[in-house]
Amino acid sequence: MKNWYRKLGFEHDPFTTNPEADDELVEYQDAINEVAYRIDSGSMAFVEGQAGMGKTALLVQIINRFEGKGRVIYYDCSELKKKVEIDMLMKNRFGFFGRLFNVVPTDMIILLDNVDSLSRANSERIKYYFDQNNIRSVIFAGESFKKSDLPQSIKDRIGIHVITLQPLSDYGAVELVSKRLGEHNAMISDEATKLVFTKASRNTKKFLELCSKLFSSLTSHEHSITLDDARKVLRNV
């Protein structure tokens, strides 16, 4: 059913996977605090977790926390071209005159998402700017620190500062749905929510997508979505 959520008074799908949807990530506050501490201490750190676990959403929270307290650059490395672009990324912070006069800012906070796509040349430039104190802190995000293709010199600087995101617990999944639905949180039972979470292999992004599919199919129900309702809709998932 198209735009099912509008019937409930939502302007947008409450189960959107847009990383900016959560004001506060469920069960990840310790990880957010750890990343913030590494930034304050002027370190490099690596946030690892499977795709759909919430790495980008965590970086969005970091941007919000440090907004106005420092120069923050977020970049999705999958969008970086083969040529070196880190230089231009830095100099663009000062706009036209930064590019014209080759001015590089200082005390930058760099958040690099999907670092599996980060080229070796860009990695070397990041290390250079970090060592020259143009960059205060670098937070890398990817699926695996050990399997990442970062130069050993950067891995040495990261050291033990690796934050691993764990899957949500069943309780966390229920809390996330409750938070997304707000005053409509009674529309689905906890048991049905846990089934959807299991069907999504405990992956947060897939979980939210399945919740949207479930509600799209059953939003016309007059009663709360039950375990049996969820089984029928998700039988072939």
Side-chain angles (χ1 to χ4, degrees), residues 6-236:
R6 293 188 183 277
K7 292 187 175 182
L8 300 179
F10 291 106
E11 184 176 352
H12 304 289
D13 187 342
F15 298 117
T16 176
T17 56
N18 183 332
E20 297 183 5
D22 283 331
D23 294 328
E24 182 178 344
L25 291 177
V26 173
E27 296 188 337
Y28 282 174
Q29 196 56 51
D30 287 345
I32 294 172
N33 291 338
E34 176 67 15
V35 172
Y37 175 78
R38 293 303 162 197
I39 291 174
D40 286 332
S41 64
S43 305
M44 286 189 179
F46 194 103
V47 179
E48 66 178 7
Q50 296 177 357
M53 290 281 291
K55 297 185 296 296
T56 301
L58 185 149
L59 295 181
V60 168
Q61 297 303 309
I62 293 298
I63 293 171
N64 294 338
R65 179 173 292 200
F66 284 89
E67 187 176 16
K69 298 180 182 179
R71 300 185 178 95
V72 182
I73 292 178
Y74 166 86
Y75 208 90
D76 184 341
C77 294
S78 64
E79 297 179 10
L80 281 171
K81 298 178 182 178
K82 295 297 183 181
K83 64 181 181 179
V84 178
E85 291 190 353
I86 290 297
D87 293 296
M88 191 58 65
L89 197 62
M90 295 285 289
K91 293 167 187 174
N92 277 345
R93 293 298 294 183
F94 285 151
F96 172 75
F97 289 103
R99 297 188 295 274
L100 180 64
F101 295 109
N102 205 34
V103 178
V104 179
T106 59
D107 202 35
M108 299 295 298
I109 299 168
I110 309 296
L111 310 177
L112 296 173
D113 206 356
N114 296 312
V115 295
D116 294 334
S117 300
L118 185 65
S119 71
R120 184 57 62 99
N122 276 307
S123 296
E124 292 297 334
R125 297 307 290 167
I126 289 167
K127 183 183 69 173
Y128 170 79
Y129 283 126
F130 182 77
D131 291 344
Q132 295 297 313
N133 296 318
N134 295 107
I135 296 175
R136 183 209 311 183
S137 177
V138 187
I139 306 300
F140 302 90
E143 293 198 17
S144 172
F145 172 64
K146 290 183 178 180
K147 295 180 180 179
S148 68
D149 195 34
L150 293 174
Q152 189 58 47
S153 56
I154 286 185
K155 287 189 174 182
D156 290 341
R157 285 164 172 76
I158 294 171
I160 62 172
H161 303 151
V162 179
I163 299 98
T164 302
L165 299 186
Q166 301 294 337
L168 291 177
S169 65
D170 286 349
Y171 173 80
V174 171
E175 183 183 358
L176 178 57
V177 167
S178 178
K179 180 180 175 183
R180 290 297 185 94
L181 289 176
E183 63 182 18
H184 299 290
N185 60 8
M187 290 192 64
I188 182 170
S189 70
D190 291 353
E191 292 75 15
T193 297
K194 292 175 184 177
L195 174 65
V196 178
F197 193 44
T198 299
K199 286 285 188 179
S201 301
R202 310 182 76 81
N203 180 285
T204 305
K205 182 177 181 179
K206 293 179 182 178
F207 171 56
L208 291 171
E209 290 172 346
L210 284 184
C211 283
S212 181
K213 177 179 180 179
L214 178 64
F215 270 75
S216 178
S217 300
L218 298 174
T219 191
S220 60
H221 274 32
E222 296 181 357
H223 61 269
S224 173
I225 296 175
T226 66
L227 181 60
D228 285 341
D229 292 330
R231 282 173 176 161
K232 290 175 183 177
V233 173
L234 303 177
R235 184 174 296 146
N236 298 320

